[in-house]
Amino acid sequence: MSANVPQKRLLLLGGGHAEIPLIQAAQSLGYYVITTGNAREGLGHPYADKNVFEDFSDKDAMLELARREKVSAVCSGCNDFALLSTVYVCEKLGLPGHDSYETSLRIHHKDKYRALAERLNIPTPRAVSVKNREEFNALFNRQWITSPSARNEVAGGFARHCEEYSDEGISLNFPVIIKPVDLTGGKGIHRADDFEEACSAYDAAMNRTREDHLVVEEFVTGTNHGFSAFLIGGKVAFYFVDNEQYYLNKYMVSGANTPTTTSEHGLKLLCEYSERIAADLKLVDGILHIQYIERDDGIPVIIEICRRPPGDLYIKFVKYATGVDYPRAIILAETGMLQINDLTLAGAVNVAKFVPSVKPFLRHCVMASREGVVQGVSFAPEIEKNVVEKFLWFKKGEPTGDILYYKAGIVFLQFDSVEEMLEKTARMTDLIQVSLA
């Protein structure tokens, strides 16, 4: 870089392991990268050019930081709070590459998205919002609301797609999922099969959320998947689809493999839903990531949606499986530099949908089976030949702490066939194990 030409400065909200591909992509595009966040131990921070440790969920603090560092671009890490602060800062500073703050809330807050999906006729779990114990009890017909004015007030607070309410109140069918509207990664989410469990779940979720209300939704059965699309001009120019795996924590993805088992009809519907959302909200170019459950009838039911990169090196998983430089495309979009030709990424794409051929691949989070003191990670001989990359960050002698969230690292694996991938994926927690004392 010439001494007379100042280097472009980019603020990345985040600095964990999930942000490493974004940091590297931004630097390859000539940016001086500044990472931020409260977690000083984040594995991504050493990759950046500068670290400023502040709370990236504080959007006004991030605005001040962006001004102080004189950045020309702000990008989100793999966290909803980071995304919302990013779009707020960009809106205030007039920086490109992001939707408005209000639009972003409609996507990233679960209650707002449920209402949007219902209006756009997009399948989503039947759900309601509750903001206090009276509304919660009324939802399960445990405390009748007899006053018409009180009943109308309660009903008005629910998502409009809750159809069944009567003089006695409003009801959903068990089992239900109770979740904060503002958290991701399975945090604060609980399944309840009866009213007693629902009450405990309500208290736990309320203690986690930063908002004043929760979402309660009916449980949907089927297979779990991720659909990661890239929008250009409101159209899906590229998409990648996976099959999700879960371990002890049934609401946090522990692995994902591809190619997907979702039907061609289901994939077509997901593209249609994505473009319906993009048109309605006038979304800018960039990533649109969806988690969905494919029902037995082949219909994909969207359970989560976001416009920031998924965590746990998912964008690196996409790159491995397809050859598409997804991290670079995301940075180009969020800095307002994306051109249609850039979505050639690794080859050829135009405004028409680009579905690359995918290799049988797995991204696996290495997690412990019980609490204990970590001694190492062992790999069965039969899985070693499949390993493409081991990214392990455990420290020998460290306690696992909460095993629902503890990770020792992430492993990327490639297989010779889909059959081998599916068979070994089913045994992965035996083939790769955290050794504990």
Side-chain angles (χ1 to χ4, degrees):
M1 182 74 64
S2 168
N4 296 325
V5 180
Q7 190 173 8
K8 300 177 294 184
R9 297 169 70 84
L10 180 148
L11 175 61
L12 178 64
L13 274 60
H17 64 273
E19 281 78 40
I20 293 173
L22 297 172
I23 296 168
Q24 294 172 325
Q27 289 170 333
S28 74
L29 291 166
Y31 280 100
Y32 178 93
V33 178
I34 304 160
T35 55
T36 190
N38 284 334
R40 292 174 177 263
E41 70 280 5
L43 298 176
H45 289 306
Y47 289 80
D49 300 290
K50 182 177 181 179
N51 312 135
V52 180
F53 298 110
E54 295 187 15
D55 181 1
F56 59 58
S57 70
D58 185 335
K59 58 185 186 297
D60 289 311
M62 292 298 98
L63 177 59
E64 174 57 31
L65 175 58
R67 285 172 171 158
R68 189 168 69 243
E69 292 293 337
K70 297 180 172 59
V71 300
S72 60
V74 183
C75 294
S76 174
C78 307
N79 178 283
D80 278 4
F81 289 118
L83 183 283
L84 291 174
S85 290
T86 295
V87 300
Y88 175 83
V89 171
C90 289
E91 189 171 73
K92 293 293 186 182
L93 297 182
L95 298 177
H98 298 278
D99 304 311
S100 71
Y101 182 70
E102 184 58 36
T103 294
S104 299
L105 285 175
R106 294 174 71 182
I107 290 174
H108 292 86
H109 275 193
K110 295 175 178 61
D111 56 332
K112 294 181 185 295
Y113 171 70
R114 297 291 187 269
L116 172 71
E118 185 258 341
R119 180 169 61 79
L120 297 180
N121 196 29
I122 294 173
T124 194
R126 186 168 173 271
V128 298
S129 299
V130 294
K131 62 182 179 181
N132 55 48
R133 181 66 77 171
E134 182 186 28
E135 289 186 358
F136 181 78
N137 288 345
L139 179 60
F140 299 105
N141 291 326
R142 291 303 176 116
Q143 178 177 313
W144 309 135
I145 302 175
T146 55
S147 162
S149 60
R151 185 167 63 248
N152 291 337
E153 181 179 352
V154 169
F158 292 150
R160 289 184 299 154
H161 58 294
C162 180
E163 301 166 348
E164 298 176 10
Y165 66 94
S166 63
D167 288 344
E168 289 78 25
I170 301 170
S171 63
L172 289 180
N173 297 315
F174 286 108
V176 297
I177 297 290
I178 299 172
K179 57 178 65 173
V181 301
D182 56 339
L183 301 181
T184 58
K187 300 179 184 70
I189 298 178
H190 301 273
R191 170 176 164 155
D193 294 317
D194 55 43
F195 184 67
E196 183 177 358
E197 289 182 357
C199 289
S200 297
Y202 172 89
D203 292 336
M206 272 296 191
N207 287 334
R208 294 296 298 269
T209 184
R210 302 188 188 190
E211 300 294 321
D212 63 356
H213 58 289
L214 304 172
V215 164
V216 183
E217 62 189 35
E218 289 185 345
F219 186 77
V220 178
T221 59
T223 55
N224 292 74
H225 307 270
F227 174 88
S228 201
F230 209 89
L231 301 173
I232 292 183
K235 301 296 182 182
V236 174
F238 162 85
Y239 68 82
F240 173 83
V241 196
D242 67 66
N243 313 305
E244 294 179 344
Q245 291 86 50
Y246 296 79
Y247 189 37
L248 299 181
N249 187 337
K250 302 307 179 184
Y251 306 107
M252 184 182 74
V253 179
S254 63
N257 64 30
T258 194
T260 184
T261 58
T262 296
S263 67
E264 288 295 326
H265 176 64
L267 297 178
K268 181 180 179 182
L269 287 175
L270 287 161
C271 289
E272 291 178 3
Y273 299 154
S274 298
E275 292 179 358
R276 203 177 298 173
I277 294 167
D280 186 81
L281 298 180
K282 298 178 174 58
L283 299 183
V284 301
D285 294 348
I287 189 172
L288 178 67
H289 188 81
I290 288 170
Q291 283 184 283
Y292 66 97
I293 295 174
E294 185 180 26
R295 298 188 317 216
D296 291 341
D297 62 4
I299 300 298
V301 178
I302 297 177
I303 55 174
E304 303 288 351
I305 186 170
C306 68
R307 296 225 68 194
R308 45 85 179 166
D312 285 329
L313 298 176
Y314 186 93
I315 54 179
K316 194 170 189 178
F317 170 47
V318 176
K319 186 175 180 179
Y320 266 131
T322 67
V324 170
D325 196 343
Y326 215 34
R328 181 176 183 274
I330 291 169
I331 292 295
L332 286 170
E334 292 203 30
T335 56
M337 296 196 301
L338 185 74
Q339 304 293 324
I340 288 180
N341 289 340
D342 287 318
L343 208 56
T344 58
L345 303 177
V349 84
N350 50 41
V351 180
K353 293 179 181 61
F354 170 49
V355 187
S357 59
V358 295
K359 307 163 191 170
F361 240 94
L362 169 69
R363 178 210 60 177
H364 175 70
C365 296
V366 182
M367 304 185 73
S369 61
R370 60 177 175 83
E371 291 185 358
V373 177
V374 178
Q375 301 301 301
V377 174
S378 62
F379 291 77
E382 66 178 295
I383 202 64
E384 283 282 8
K385 74 179 184 68
N386 301 110
V387 175
V388 174
E389 180 185 351
K390 299 175 182 177
F391 183 47
L392 304 175
W393 57 75
F394 71 90
K395 296 178 181 178
K396 185 176 181 180
E398 69 182 3
T400 59
D402 188 345
I403 57 170
L404 293 181
Y405 297 99
Y406 174 80
K407 295 186 184 82
I410 294 173
V411 181
F412 297 93
L413 306 105
Q414 185 177 356
F415 304 90
D416 293 330
S417 67
V418 172
E419 291 73 22
E420 182 192 14
M421 177 190 76
L422 294 175
E423 191 275 329
K424 288 185 176 178
T425 295
R427 299 188 291 122
M428 196 55 57
T429 53
D430 295 324
L431 296 171
I432 302 176
Q433 293 188 349
V434 178
S435 303
L436 300 167

